[in-house]
Amino acid sequence: MVNRMLFHLVSLVPAAFSIALPQTFKPSPSNFPAKGDGDYAGGIFSIPLSELGKYAGAGGTGAEAPKGNGAKTSGSGPYPAIMLTDPTLPGHTIFAPKTPPADNLNLPFIAWGNGACTLYAGNYERLLVEIASYGYVIAADGNPTEGGSTSQQSKVQDMRDSLDWAFAGKAKKYGNIDLTKVTTAGHSCGGLEAMSTAYHDERVRRIIMFNIAIFQDDRRYLLQEIKVPVAYLIGGNKDMGYATSAKDYVLLNAGLPKLRANLDTGHGGTFQATNGGKQGKAAVAYLEWQWRDNATAKAYILNGGLAKDNWTVDHANWS
Ligand SMILES: *[C@@H]1O[C@H](CO)[C@@H](O)[C@H](O)[C@H]1NC(C)=O
Ligand SMILES: *[C@@H]1O[C@H](CO)[C@@H](O)[C@H](O)[C@H]1NC(C)=O
Protein backbone atom coordinates (compact mmCIF):
# COMPACT_ATOMS: atom_id res chain seq x y z
CA MET A 1 0.00 0.00 0.00
CA VAL A 2 2.96 2.34 0.12
CA ASN A 3 2.39 4.03 -3.20
CA ARG A 4 4.15 7.01 -4.69
CA MET A 5 1.84 9.44 -2.95
CA LEU A 6 2.48 8.07 0.50
CA PHE A 7 6.18 8.01 -0.13
CA HIS A 8 6.37 11.75 0.18
CA LEU A 9 5.59 11.53 3.85
CA VAL A 10 6.14 8.02 5.10
CA SER A 11 9.46 6.88 3.78
CA LEU A 12 11.19 8.12 6.87
CA VAL A 13 9.00 6.75 9.61
CA PRO A 14 11.31 4.70 11.81
CA ALA A 15 14.06 7.22 12.29
CA ALA A 16 11.62 10.05 12.82
CA PHE A 17 10.28 8.23 15.80
CA SER A 18 13.58 7.17 17.19
CA ILE A 19 14.46 10.83 17.57
CA ALA A 20 11.07 11.97 18.86
CA LEU A 21 11.16 15.38 20.45
CA PRO A 22 9.62 16.21 23.82
CA GLN A 23 5.82 16.29 23.57
CA THR A 24 5.30 19.95 24.24
CA PHE A 25 2.46 20.91 21.92
CA LYS A 26 -1.05 19.90 22.98
CA PRO A 27 -3.66 20.90 20.41
CA SER A 28 -6.60 22.64 22.03
CA PRO A 29 -8.66 25.58 20.79
CA SER A 30 -6.90 27.91 23.19
CA ASN A 31 -3.34 26.69 22.80
CA PHE A 32 -1.39 29.00 20.54
CA PRO A 33 2.25 28.07 21.05
CA ALA A 34 4.72 30.92 20.83
CA LYS A 35 6.60 29.31 17.97
CA GLY A 36 5.70 26.94 15.16
CA ASP A 37 8.30 24.28 15.85
CA GLY A 38 6.00 21.69 17.42
CA ASP A 39 6.93 18.08 18.02
CA TYR A 40 7.35 16.62 14.52
CA ALA A 41 9.02 17.37 11.22
CA GLY A 42 6.74 19.95 9.60
CA GLY A 43 6.06 21.73 12.90
CA ILE A 44 2.74 22.51 14.58
CA PHE A 45 0.73 22.21 11.36
CA SER A 46 2.06 18.70 10.74
CA ILE A 47 1.22 15.28 12.11
CA PRO A 48 3.01 12.38 13.71
CA LEU A 49 3.84 10.06 10.84
CA SER A 50 2.13 7.19 12.63
CA GLU A 51 -1.15 8.94 11.87
CA LEU A 52 -0.58 9.49 8.16
CA GLY A 53 -2.54 6.38 7.17
CA LYS A 54 -5.70 7.94 8.57
CA TYR A 55 -5.46 10.91 6.24
CA ALA A 56 -3.55 9.99 3.10
CA GLY A 57 -6.45 8.62 1.05
CA ALA A 58 -6.24 6.24 -1.90
CA GLY A 59 -3.64 8.19 -3.84
CA GLY A 60 -2.74 7.58 -7.43
CA THR A 61 -1.79 9.92 -10.24
CA GLY A 62 -4.02 11.97 -12.48
CA ALA A 63 -4.06 12.82 -16.19
CA GLU A 64 -1.82 15.84 -15.63
CA ALA A 65 0.97 13.95 -13.84
CA PRO A 66 4.24 14.18 -15.81
CA LYS A 67 5.21 11.11 -17.83
CA GLY A 68 8.79 10.57 -16.74
CA ASN A 69 11.32 13.21 -15.82
CA GLY A 70 11.77 16.34 -17.88
CA ALA A 71 15.04 17.93 -18.90
CA LYS A 72 16.98 20.13 -16.51
CA THR A 73 17.42 23.67 -17.78
CA SER A 74 18.56 27.04 -16.46
CA GLY A 75 14.91 28.06 -16.26
CA SER A 76 12.70 29.94 -18.72
CA GLY A 77 13.15 33.34 -17.09
CA PRO A 78 15.44 36.25 -17.98
CA TYR A 79 18.16 35.31 -15.43
CA PRO A 80 19.50 31.79 -16.15
CA ALA A 81 19.77 30.11 -12.77
CA ILE A 82 21.63 27.32 -11.00
CA MET A 83 21.53 25.07 -7.97
CA LEU A 84 24.53 25.39 -5.66
CA THR A 85 25.67 25.07 -2.07
CA ASP A 86 27.01 27.86 0.08
CA PRO A 87 29.30 27.25 3.06
CA THR A 88 27.66 30.12 4.91
CA LEU A 89 24.39 28.12 5.05
CA PRO A 90 25.35 24.51 5.77
CA GLY A 91 22.77 21.79 5.25
CA HIS A 92 20.92 23.84 2.65
CA THR A 93 20.86 24.30 -1.11
CA ILE A 94 20.68 27.64 -2.91
CA PHE A 95 18.88 28.34 -6.17
CA ALA A 96 19.78 31.70 -7.70
CA PRO A 97 20.55 33.48 -10.97
CA LYS A 98 24.01 32.45 -12.22
CA THR A 99 25.03 36.09 -12.38
CA PRO A 100 23.63 38.58 -9.86
CA PRO A 101 21.11 40.74 -11.73
CA ALA A 102 21.80 44.47 -11.82
CA ASP A 103 21.27 46.30 -8.54
CA ASN A 104 18.05 47.91 -9.65
CA LEU A 105 16.35 44.51 -9.69
CA ASN A 106 15.14 43.54 -6.24
CA LEU A 107 15.18 39.81 -5.64
CA PRO A 108 12.43 38.35 -3.46
CA PHE A 109 13.58 35.59 -1.10
CA ILE A 110 12.02 32.14 -0.67
CA ALA A 111 12.68 29.47 1.96
CA TRP A 112 11.73 25.99 0.70
CA GLY A 113 10.92 22.62 2.34
CA ASN A 114 10.91 19.25 0.55
CA GLY A 115 8.28 16.51 0.43
CA ALA A 116 8.50 14.20 3.46
CA CYS A 117 10.72 16.95 4.92
CA THR A 118 13.62 15.08 3.36
CA LEU A 119 17.06 16.61 3.08
CA TYR A 120 17.03 16.18 -0.71
CA ALA A 121 16.49 19.63 -2.19
CA GLY A 122 17.84 18.49 -5.56
CA ASN A 123 14.58 16.62 -6.07
CA TYR A 124 12.98 20.03 -6.68
CA GLU A 125 15.73 21.41 -8.91
CA ARG A 126 13.51 21.84 -11.96
CA LEU A 127 10.92 23.92 -10.11
CA LEU A 128 13.33 25.94 -8.00
CA VAL A 129 15.75 26.79 -10.83
CA GLU A 130 12.74 27.89 -12.87
CA ILE A 131 11.58 30.27 -10.13
CA ALA A 132 15.12 31.55 -9.52
CA SER A 133 15.48 32.36 -13.24
CA TYR A 134 12.83 35.06 -12.84
CA GLY A 135 15.04 36.85 -10.31
CA TYR A 136 14.53 35.07 -6.98
CA VAL A 137 16.91 33.64 -4.42
CA ILE A 138 15.78 30.42 -2.77
CA ALA A 139 17.32 28.60 0.19
CA ALA A 140 16.02 25.04 0.45
CA ASP A 141 16.37 22.60 3.32
CA GLY A 142 18.90 19.87 2.61
CA ASN A 143 21.31 18.93 -0.12
CA PRO A 144 21.53 18.88 -3.92
CA THR A 145 22.05 15.11 -3.93
CA GLU A 146 20.14 12.34 -2.26
CA GLY A 147 23.15 10.79 -0.54
CA GLY A 148 23.73 10.67 3.17
CA SER A 149 21.19 9.60 5.68
CA THR A 150 17.66 9.27 4.37
CA SER A 151 16.50 8.88 7.96
CA GLN A 152 16.77 12.56 8.75
CA GLN A 153 14.01 15.08 8.27
CA SER A 154 14.17 18.86 8.23
CA LYS A 155 12.59 20.81 11.03
CA VAL A 156 11.07 24.26 11.28
CA GLN A 157 14.40 25.49 12.60
CA ASP A 158 16.06 24.50 9.32
CA MET A 159 13.71 26.72 7.35
CA ARG A 160 14.10 29.45 9.96
CA ASP A 161 17.87 29.15 9.47
CA SER A 162 17.30 30.08 5.82
CA LEU A 163 15.40 33.20 6.87
CA ASP A 164 18.00 34.13 9.49
CA TRP A 165 20.72 33.71 6.88
CA ALA A 166 19.00 36.05 4.42
CA PHE A 167 18.18 38.58 7.13
CA ALA A 168 21.82 38.55 8.24
CA GLY A 169 22.68 39.81 4.75
CA LYS A 170 24.40 36.61 3.70
CA ALA A 171 22.42 36.23 0.46
CA LYS A 172 23.69 39.58 -0.82
CA LYS A 173 26.29 37.94 -3.05
CA TYR A 174 23.40 36.64 -5.22
CA GLY A 175 21.94 40.09 -5.82
CA ASN A 176 19.94 42.82 -4.19
CA ILE A 177 17.70 40.79 -1.87
CA ASP A 178 14.43 42.47 -0.92
CA LEU A 179 13.67 41.34 2.62
CA THR A 180 10.18 42.82 2.50
CA LYS A 181 9.34 40.13 -0.09
CA VAL A 182 9.78 36.86 1.72
CA THR A 183 7.86 33.65 1.01
CA THR A 184 7.93 30.27 2.70
CA ALA A 185 6.89 27.37 0.48
CA GLY A 186 7.19 23.62 0.24
CA HIS A 187 5.82 20.33 -0.97
CA SER A 188 3.81 18.04 1.30
CA CYS A 189 5.55 17.90 4.72
CA GLY A 190 7.70 20.79 3.46
CA GLY A 191 4.53 22.84 2.87
CA LEU A 192 3.38 22.20 6.42
CA GLU A 193 6.84 23.26 7.54
CA ALA A 194 6.45 26.45 5.48
CA MET A 195 3.23 27.31 7.29
CA SER A 196 4.71 26.40 10.67
CA THR A 197 7.75 28.59 9.95
CA ALA A 198 5.52 31.51 8.94
CA TYR A 199 3.50 31.14 12.16
CA HIS A 200 4.35 34.06 14.47
CA ASP A 201 7.23 35.13 12.22
CA GLU A 202 6.41 38.51 10.74
CA ARG A 203 9.31 38.33 8.34
CA VAL A 204 7.27 35.93 6.20
CA ARG A 205 4.78 37.71 3.94
CA ARG A 206 3.45 34.89 1.73
CA ILE A 207 2.96 31.14 2.08
CA ILE A 208 2.68 28.66 -0.80
CA MET A 209 1.48 25.15 -0.03
CA PHE A 210 2.20 22.55 -2.70
CA ASN A 211 -0.08 19.48 -2.57
CA ILE A 212 -0.82 19.75 1.14
CA ALA A 213 -2.88 21.35 3.89
CA ILE A 214 -3.48 20.66 7.57
CA PHE A 215 -4.40 17.01 8.13
CA GLN A 216 -6.01 17.18 11.55
CA ASP A 217 -9.35 18.86 12.11
CA ASP A 218 -8.37 19.62 15.70
CA ARG A 219 -5.43 21.69 14.51
CA ARG A 220 -7.17 23.98 12.04
CA TYR A 221 -7.84 26.58 14.75
CA LEU A 222 -4.14 27.44 14.42
CA LEU A 223 -4.95 29.08 11.08
CA GLN A 224 -6.22 32.05 13.11
CA GLU A 225 -2.56 32.94 13.63
CA ILE A 226 -1.79 33.02 9.90
CA LYS A 227 -1.97 36.67 8.89
CA VAL A 228 -0.52 36.61 5.34
CA PRO A 229 -1.98 35.47 1.99
CA VAL A 230 -1.88 31.73 1.37
CA ALA A 231 -1.77 30.01 -2.03
CA TYR A 232 -2.52 26.29 -2.34
CA LEU A 233 -1.35 24.54 -5.51
CA ILE A 234 -2.97 21.13 -5.13
CA GLY A 235 -3.06 17.96 -7.21
CA GLY A 236 -6.80 17.36 -7.53
CA ASN A 237 -8.91 14.75 -5.82
CA LYS A 238 -6.23 12.04 -5.76
CA ASP A 239 -3.99 14.32 -3.70
CA MET A 240 -3.94 13.95 0.09
CA GLY A 241 -4.06 17.77 0.10
CA TYR A 242 -7.36 18.00 -1.77
CA ALA A 243 -10.08 17.75 0.89
CA THR A 244 -7.84 19.22 3.58
CA SER A 245 -7.01 22.33 1.54
CA ALA A 246 -10.74 22.88 0.94
CA LYS A 247 -11.24 22.90 4.71
CA ASP A 248 -8.30 25.20 5.37
CA TYR A 249 -9.30 27.56 2.58
CA VAL A 250 -12.66 28.33 4.17
CA LEU A 251 -11.17 28.70 7.65
CA LEU A 252 -8.47 31.23 6.83
CA ASN A 253 -9.04 34.55 8.58
CA ALA A 254 -11.84 36.65 7.14
CA GLY A 255 -10.62 38.97 4.42
CA LEU A 256 -7.27 37.26 3.93
CA PRO A 257 -6.38 37.03 0.22
CA LYS A 258 -6.25 33.38 -0.77
CA LEU A 259 -5.92 31.09 -3.76
CA ARG A 260 -6.66 27.40 -4.12
CA ALA A 261 -5.89 25.88 -7.49
CA ASN A 262 -6.16 22.20 -8.39
CA LEU A 263 -4.59 20.31 -11.27
CA ASP A 264 -5.26 16.58 -11.74
CA THR A 265 -1.80 15.27 -10.91
CA GLY A 266 -2.10 13.46 -7.59
CA HIS A 267 0.22 14.18 -4.68
CA GLY A 268 3.41 14.13 -6.77
CA GLY A 269 2.54 17.35 -8.63
CA THR A 270 4.54 18.38 -11.70
CA PHE A 271 7.90 18.94 -9.98
CA GLN A 272 9.71 16.46 -12.24
CA ALA A 273 8.53 18.03 -15.49
CA THR A 274 10.85 20.44 -17.31
CA ASN A 275 10.88 23.77 -15.44
CA GLY A 276 8.54 22.25 -12.86
CA GLY A 277 5.73 21.91 -15.39
CA LYS A 278 2.42 23.60 -14.77
CA GLN A 279 3.14 24.06 -11.07
CA GLY A 280 6.30 25.91 -12.05
CA LYS A 281 4.34 28.13 -14.43
CA ALA A 282 1.68 28.80 -11.80
CA ALA A 283 4.21 29.49 -9.04
CA VAL A 284 6.19 31.94 -11.20
CA ALA A 285 3.02 33.79 -12.22
CA TYR A 286 1.78 33.97 -8.63
CA LEU A 287 5.14 35.27 -7.39
CA GLU A 288 5.54 37.76 -10.25
CA TRP A 289 2.08 39.10 -9.51
CA GLN A 290 2.63 39.28 -5.76
CA TRP A 291 6.14 40.67 -5.73
CA ARG A 292 6.44 42.61 -8.98
CA ASP A 293 2.84 43.57 -9.52
CA ASN A 294 2.93 42.03 -12.97
CA ALA A 295 -0.54 42.46 -14.50
CA THR A 296 -0.03 39.69 -17.06
CA ALA A 297 0.87 37.29 -14.30
CA LYS A 298 -2.10 38.39 -12.20
CA ALA A 299 -4.45 37.80 -15.13
CA TYR A 300 -2.95 34.34 -15.63
CA ILE A 301 -3.85 33.44 -12.05
CA LEU A 302 -7.19 35.21 -11.59
CA ASN A 303 -8.65 35.71 -15.04
CA GLY A 304 -8.68 32.43 -16.87
CA GLY A 305 -5.04 31.55 -17.56
CA LEU A 306 -4.87 28.79 -14.99
CA ALA A 307 -8.24 27.47 -16.11
CA LYS A 308 -7.01 27.23 -19.72
CA ASP A 309 -4.18 25.11 -18.41
CA ASN A 310 -6.74 22.76 -16.82
CA TRP A 311 -6.54 24.08 -13.26
CA THR A 312 -9.70 24.50 -11.19
CA VAL A 313 -9.39 27.78 -9.32
CA ASP A 314 -10.89 29.26 -6.18
CA HIS A 315 -9.78 32.65 -4.98
CA ALA A 316 -11.01 35.44 -2.76
CA ASN A 317 -10.18 38.83 -1.29
CA TRP A 318 -7.58 40.00 -3.82
CA SER A 319 -7.76 43.67 -4.68
C1 LIG B 1 5.18 40.33 -16.83
O1 LIG B 1 5.28 38.96 -17.10
C2 LIG B 1 5.29 38.66 -18.48
C3 LIG B 1 5.18 37.16 -18.60
O2 LIG B 1 6.16 36.53 -17.85
C4 LIG B 1 6.54 39.24 -19.09
O3 LIG B 1 6.58 38.95 -20.47
C5 LIG B 1 6.55 40.73 -18.88
O4 LIG B 1 7.75 41.27 -19.32
C6 LIG B 1 6.35 41.06 -17.42
N1 LIG B 1 6.12 42.49 -17.31
C7 LIG B 1 6.89 43.28 -16.55
C8 LIG B 1 6.50 44.71 -16.51
O5 LIG B 1 7.83 42.84 -15.93
C1 LIG C 1 -6.30 19.87 -20.76
O1 LIG C 1 -6.67 18.51 -20.61
C2 LIG C 1 -7.03 17.86 -21.84
C3 LIG C 1 -7.56 16.48 -21.46
O2 LIG C 1 -6.60 15.78 -20.70
C4 LIG C 1 -5.81 17.84 -22.73
O3 LIG C 1 -6.15 17.24 -23.96
C5 LIG C 1 -5.34 19.26 -22.99
O4 LIG C 1 -4.14 19.23 -23.74
C6 LIG C 1 -5.09 19.97 -21.66
N1 LIG C 1 -4.80 21.36 -21.90
C7 LIG C 1 -3.62 21.92 -21.65
C8 LIG C 1 -3.48 23.36 -21.96
O5 LIG C 1 -2.70 21.29 -21.16
Side-chain angles (χ1 to χ4, degrees), residues 84-94 165 170-171 173-174:
L84 71 161
T85 56
D86 185 319
T88 67
L89 186 59
H92 290 73
T93 301
I94 311 299
W165 175 79
K170 293 182 180 167
K173 69 191 88 161
Y174 303 108

mmCIF file of all heavy atoms in Angstrom, residues 84-94 165 170-171 173-174:
data_model
loop_
_atom_site.group_PDB
_atom_site.id
_atom_site.type_symbol
_atom_site.label_atom_id
_atom_site.label_comp_id
_atom_site.label_asym_id
_atom_site.label_seq_id
_atom_site.Cartn_x
_atom_site.Cartn_y
_atom_site.Cartn_z
ATOM 1 N N LEU A 84 23.170 25.440 -6.215
ATOM 2 C CA LEU A 84 24.526 25.390 -5.655
ATOM 3 C C LEU A 84 24.461 25.286 -4.132
ATOM 4 O O LEU A 84 23.391 25.409 -3.539
ATOM 5 C CB LEU A 84 25.331 26.629 -6.065
ATOM 6 C CG LEU A 84 24.966 27.984 -5.459
ATOM 7 C CD1 LEU A 84 26.117 28.956 -5.610
ATOM 8 C CD2 LEU A 84 23.713 28.585 -6.119
ATOM 9 N N THR A 85 25.609 25.019 -3.536
ATOM 10 C CA THR A 85 25.665 25.074 -2.074
ATOM 11 C C THR A 85 26.519 26.267 -1.677
ATOM 12 O O THR A 85 27.302 26.786 -2.467
ATOM 13 C CB THR A 85 26.260 23.789 -1.469
ATOM 14 O OG1 THR A 85 27.537 23.572 -2.043
ATOM 15 C CG2 THR A 85 25.357 22.595 -1.738
ATOM 16 N N ASP A 86 26.325 26.670 -0.421
ATOM 17 C CA ASP A 86 27.010 27.862 0.077
ATOM 18 C C ASP A 86 27.477 27.549 1.496
ATOM 19 O O ASP A 86 26.647 27.239 2.368
ATOM 20 C CB ASP A 86 26.004 29.032 0.067
ATOM 21 C CG ASP A 86 26.662 30.351 0.458
ATOM 22 O OD1 ASP A 86 27.489 30.350 1.392
ATOM 23 O OD2 ASP A 86 26.309 31.373 -0.148
ATOM 24 N N PRO A 87 28.790 27.619 1.729
ATOM 25 C CA PRO A 87 29.300 27.247 3.062
ATOM 26 C C PRO A 87 28.760 28.123 4.193
ATOM 27 O O PRO A 87 28.824 27.727 5.349
ATOM 28 C CB PRO A 87 30.822 27.408 2.925
ATOM 29 C CG PRO A 87 31.039 28.213 1.689
ATOM 30 C CD PRO A 87 29.856 28.004 0.797
ATOM 31 N N THR A 88 28.192 29.283 3.845
ATOM 32 C CA THR A 88 27.656 30.123 4.910
ATOM 33 C C THR A 88 26.262 29.664 5.357
ATOM 34 O O THR A 88 25.728 30.187 6.333
ATOM 35 C CB THR A 88 27.594 31.613 4.499
ATOM 36 O OG1 THR A 88 26.620 31.793 3.456
ATOM 37 C CG2 THR A 88 28.955 32.108 4.024
ATOM 38 N N LEU A 89 25.681 28.695 4.633
ATOM 39 C CA LEU A 89 24.392 28.124 5.051
ATOM 40 C C LEU A 89 24.464 26.601 4.921
ATOM 41 O O LEU A 89 23.915 26.003 4.004
ATOM 42 C CB LEU A 89 23.236 28.690 4.204
ATOM 43 C CG LEU A 89 21.820 28.278 4.635
ATOM 44 C CD1 LEU A 89 21.512 28.703 6.073
ATOM 45 C CD2 LEU A 89 20.773 28.829 3.670
ATOM 46 N N PRO A 90 25.163 25.963 5.859
ATOM 47 C CA PRO A 90 25.353 24.512 5.766
ATOM 48 C C PRO A 90 24.014 23.769 5.838
ATOM 49 O O PRO A 90 23.064 24.253 6.456
ATOM 50 C CB PRO A 90 26.202 24.177 7.002
ATOM 51 C CG PRO A 90 26.602 25.470 7.616
ATOM 52 C CD PRO A 90 25.752 26.556 7.046
ATOM 53 N N GLY A 91 23.987 22.609 5.194
ATOM 54 C CA GLY A 91 22.773 21.793 5.251
ATOM 55 C C GLY A 91 21.637 22.338 4.404
ATOM 56 O O GLY A 91 20.488 21.919 4.558
ATOM 57 N N HIS A 92 21.944 23.256 3.516
ATOM 58 C CA HIS A 92 20.922 23.845 2.649
ATOM 59 C C HIS A 92 21.438 23.908 1.214
ATOM 60 O O HIS A 92 22.630 23.739 0.965
ATOM 61 C CB HIS A 92 20.558 25.258 3.121
ATOM 62 C CG HIS A 92 19.794 25.287 4.408
ATOM 63 N ND1 HIS A 92 20.380 25.014 5.632
ATOM 64 C CD2 HIS A 92 18.490 25.542 4.666
ATOM 65 C CE1 HIS A 92 19.454 25.100 6.581
ATOM 66 N NE2 HIS A 92 18.305 25.418 6.027
ATOM 67 N N THR A 93 20.519 24.171 0.309
ATOM 68 C CA THR A 93 20.858 24.305 -1.109
ATOM 69 C C THR A 93 20.283 25.625 -1.611
ATOM 70 O O THR A 93 19.142 25.969 -1.280
ATOM 71 C CB THR A 93 20.263 23.125 -1.905
ATOM 72 O OG1 THR A 93 20.795 21.906 -1.369
ATOM 73 C CG2 THR A 93 20.607 23.211 -3.383
ATOM 74 N N ILE A 94 21.104 26.334 -2.388
ATOM 75 C CA ILE A 94 20.684 27.643 -2.907
ATOM 76 C C ILE A 94 20.294 27.507 -4.380
ATOM 77 O O ILE A 94 20.946 26.776 -5.129
ATOM 78 C CB ILE A 94 21.848 28.662 -2.803
ATOM 79 C CG1 ILE A 94 22.475 28.661 -1.407
ATOM 80 C CG2 ILE A 94 21.390 30.062 -3.230
ATOM 81 C CD1 ILE A 94 21.550 29.037 -0.292
ATOM 82 N N TRP A 165 19.572 33.527 7.776
ATOM 83 C CA TRP A 165 20.723 33.714 6.876
ATOM 84 C C TRP A 165 20.476 34.906 5.950
ATOM 85 O O TRP A 165 21.325 35.793 5.822
ATOM 86 C CB TRP A 165 20.907 32.420 6.097
ATOM 87 C CG TRP A 165 21.938 32.399 5.025
ATOM 88 C CD1 TRP A 165 23.288 32.266 5.187
ATOM 89 C CD2 TRP A 165 21.705 32.474 3.616
ATOM 90 N NE1 TRP A 165 23.902 32.244 3.958
ATOM 91 C CE2 TRP A 165 22.955 32.369 2.976
ATOM 92 C CE3 TRP A 165 20.554 32.593 2.823
ATOM 93 C CZ2 TRP A 165 23.093 32.393 1.588
ATOM 94 C CZ3 TRP A 165 20.686 32.626 1.451
ATOM 95 C CH2 TRP A 165 21.941 32.532 0.843
ATOM 96 N N LYS A 170 23.468 37.564 4.311
ATOM 97 C CA LYS A 170 24.404 36.614 3.701
ATOM 98 C C LYS A 170 24.007 36.175 2.293
ATOM 99 O O LYS A 170 24.785 35.493 1.619
ATOM 100 C CB LYS A 170 24.582 35.413 4.629
ATOM 101 C CG LYS A 170 25.286 35.822 5.915
ATOM 102 C CD LYS A 170 25.529 34.648 6.834
ATOM 103 C CE LYS A 170 26.240 35.102 8.098
ATOM 104 N NZ LYS A 170 26.224 34.080 9.145
ATOM 105 N N ALA A 171 22.819 36.561 1.844
ATOM 106 C CA ALA A 171 22.416 36.230 0.465
ATOM 107 C C ALA A 171 22.791 37.335 -0.511
ATOM 108 O O ALA A 171 22.546 37.215 -1.712
ATOM 109 C CB ALA A 171 20.908 35.959 0.421
ATOM 110 N N LYS A 173 25.402 38.264 -1.924
ATOM 111 C CA LYS A 173 26.293 37.944 -3.052
ATOM 112 C C LYS A 173 25.503 37.500 -4.280
ATOM 113 O O LYS A 173 26.017 37.505 -5.388
ATOM 114 C CB LYS A 173 27.293 36.876 -2.626
ATOM 115 C CG LYS A 173 26.687 35.507 -2.396
ATOM 116 C CD LYS A 173 27.646 34.525 -1.722
ATOM 117 C CE LYS A 173 27.543 34.628 -0.215
ATOM 118 N NZ LYS A 173 28.069 33.453 0.501
ATOM 119 N N TYR A 174 24.223 37.100 -4.083
ATOM 120 C CA TYR A 174 23.405 36.640 -5.216
ATOM 121 C C TYR A 174 22.600 37.773 -5.847
ATOM 122 O O TYR A 174 21.916 37.564 -6.836
ATOM 123 C CB TYR A 174 22.471 35.508 -4.767
ATOM 124 C CG TYR A 174 23.261 34.371 -4.165
ATOM 125 C CD1 TYR A 174 23.248 34.121 -2.794
ATOM 126 C CD2 TYR A 174 24.068 33.576 -4.979
ATOM 127 C CE1 TYR A 174 24.010 33.097 -2.242
ATOM 128 C CE2 TYR A 174 24.833 32.551 -4.437
ATOM 129 C CZ TYR A 174 24.798 32.324 -3.066
ATOM 130 O OH TYR A 174 25.562 31.319 -2.539
#
